[in-house]
């Protein structure tokens, strides 16, 4: 290369270098002005059948993630280790239609956990969790069809009230089975079969009434026993005092008898 060619190439090289530096600067500014959304590990957005979907299936979550896009229509949190649902667990999701919480470790649902979803949620899957007993208030005003199958339910009045307060997914009703019950003969039976034959809330009310009657009778018997004991004790004391008076000289005896006999029952 001649000296003349070197002189000609130098401005071109400098121009390319300046252009590269300018593009690098634009990329850095762009990343600062528009940072990438940081989703929890194992979670990603997608679109299914025209609906915006957010999937966190099998992501080893131990709580409901906070950074869920607020335009999500379908949310999958299945196959995780979420143990409970706190109040307002799904707030700021005004467009959510479907929520899958199946195959977790959910044992407790606080009242108000679904309150922000009451008007628009269509489907709620809570199957294959660890639910034993849940208040019907946790599902207050919820219009979604609910799947409660494959949980270790305690079959009692509380569960009966819950089942009558929600709309079950039709094919899931047979999966609500009594893992334990206030009545031993119900264990292992489908809950809808149990409440078709027995009103558990009436049974509970009758049991409570009987317990109250037994308690009241016990207190009444204690009061009567005390009164009988008190009267007999007074009679015994009076008898002993009269015997004592009889042993006294006649003048002293007559003066004390008048004040003593009035105490005899």
């Amino acid at each position: 290369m001649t000296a003349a060619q070197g002189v000609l190439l130098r401005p071109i090289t400098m121009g390319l270098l300046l252009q590269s530096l300018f593009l690098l600067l634009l990329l850095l500014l762009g990343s600062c002005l528009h940072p990438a959304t940081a989703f929890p590990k194992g979670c990603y957005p997608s679109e299914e059948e025209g609906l915006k979907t957010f999937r966190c299936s099998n992501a080893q979550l131990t709580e409901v993630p906070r950074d869920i896009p607020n335009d999500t229509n379908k949310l999958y949190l299945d196959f995780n280790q979420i143990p409970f649902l706190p109040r307002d667990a799904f707030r700021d999701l005004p467009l959510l239609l479907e929520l899958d919480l199946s195959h977790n470790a959910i044992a407790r649902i606080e009242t108000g956990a679904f309150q922000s979803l009451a008007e628009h949620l269509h489907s709620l899957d809570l199957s294959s969790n660890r639910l034993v007993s849940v208040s019907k208030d946790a599902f207050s005003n919820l219009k979604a069809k609910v799947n409660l199958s494959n949980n270790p339910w305690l079959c009692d009045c509380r569960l009966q009230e819950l089942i009558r307060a929600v709309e079950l997914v039709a094919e899931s009703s047979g999966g609500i089975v009594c893992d334990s019950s206030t009545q031993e003969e119900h264990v292992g039976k489908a809950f809808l079969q149990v409440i078709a034959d027995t009103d558990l809330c009436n049974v509970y009310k009758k049991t409570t009434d009987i317990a109250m009657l037994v308690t009241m009778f016990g207190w009444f018997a204690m009061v009567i026993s005390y009164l009988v004991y008190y009267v007999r004790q007074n009679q015994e004391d009076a008898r002993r005092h009269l015997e004592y008076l009889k042993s006294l000289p006649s003048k002293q005896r007559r003066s004390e008898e008048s004040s003593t006999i009035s105490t005899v029952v």
Side-chain angles (χ1 to χ4, degrees):
M1 180 183 296
T2 65
Q5 290 175 327
V7 170
L8 291 173
L9 289 174
R10 190 175 300 165
I12 296 173
T13 303
M14 290 297 294
L16 291 173
L17 181 60
L18 289 173
Q19 185 178 4
S20 299
L21 290 172
F22 180 71
L23 290 174
L24 180 61
L25 181 62
L26 286 179
L27 289 173
L28 290 173
L29 287 173
S31 64
C32 292
L33 294 174
H34 304 285
T37 303
F39 296 126
K41 184 179 180 181
C43 301
Y44 61 92
S46 64
E47 189 165 322
E48 299 178 5
E49 300 177 350
L51 296 175
K52 292 190 175 181
T53 303
F54 193 69
R55 284 192 175 273
C56 289
S57 303
N58 200 19
Q60 299 182 353
L61 298 175
T62 56
E63 63 180 5
V64 176
R66 297 179 182 178
D67 300 320
I68 301 172
N70 58 14
D71 60 351
T72 298
N73 303 129
K74 300 170 70 175
L75 176 58
Y76 292 88
L77 299 173
D78 51 319
F79 290 95
N80 285 290
Q81 292 94 44
I82 300 172
F84 81 103
L85 302 177
R87 184 180 180 87
D88 288 323
F90 304 98
R91 65 182 179 182
D92 301 326
L93 293 174
L95 303 178
L96 194 63
L97 303 175
E98 298 181 20
L99 175 57
D100 190 346
L101 289 160
S102 63
H103 299 276
N104 272 279
I106 300 171
R108 180 166 60 92
I109 301 175
E110 291 186 357
T111 300
F114 306 115
Q115 63 181 358
S116 60
L117 309 178
E119 295 299 322
H120 47 84
L121 192 68
H122 293 168
S123 173
L124 173 60
D125 193 345
L126 285 163
S127 63
S128 300
N129 276 282
R130 298 177 185 174
L131 296 171
V132 175
S133 183
V134 180
S135 170
K136 65 178 181 178
D137 295 334
F139 298 85
S140 180
N141 300 319
L142 197 64
K143 298 177 181 179
K145 291 185 177 181
V146 184
N147 187 343
L148 297 172
S149 62
N150 299 319
N151 281 279
W153 290 109
L154 166 63
C155 291
D156 60 359
C157 179
R158 200 179 193 203
L159 180 57
Q160 180 173 309
E161 290 178 341
L162 170 61
I163 295 301
R164 291 178 176 175
V166 300
E167 182 180 357
L168 296 175
V169 175
E171 59 271 20
S172 73
S173 58
I176 303 174
V177 177
C178 301
D179 187 72
S180 58
S181 176
T182 51
Q183 300 185 40
E184 190 65 28
E185 64 269 21
H186 296 156
V187 175
K189 292 184 178 180
F191 186 68
L192 292 188
Q193 177 187 347
V194 170
I195 59 175
D197 302 326
T198 307
D199 188 336
L200 294 179
C201 291
N202 276 343
V203 169
Y204 175 77
K205 185 176 183 300
K206 289 177 181 178
T207 304
T208 303
D209 290 344
I210 292 172
M212 289 180 64
L213 286 173
V214 170
T215 302
M216 290 175 64
F217 179 79
W219 278 107
F220 182 73
M222 288 176 63
V223 171
I224 294 298
S225 299
Y226 176 77
L227 288 175
V228 170
Y229 170 80
Y230 180 78
V231 169
R232 288 182 176 177
Q233 189 66 32
N234 278 357
Q235 287 177 334
E236 182 65 21
D237 290 344
R239 185 184 64 79
R240 290 175 181 174
H241 194 65
L242 287 175
E243 290 179 353
Y244 166 74
L245 291 176
K246 289 178 182 180
S247 67
L248 295 175
S250 59
K251 288 183 179 180
Q252 185 180 355
R253 182 174 63 239
R254 281 194 299 271
S255 64
E256 294 189 14
E257 279 180 349
S258 57
S259 61
T260 302
I261 294 174
S262 61
T263 62
V264 180
V265 178

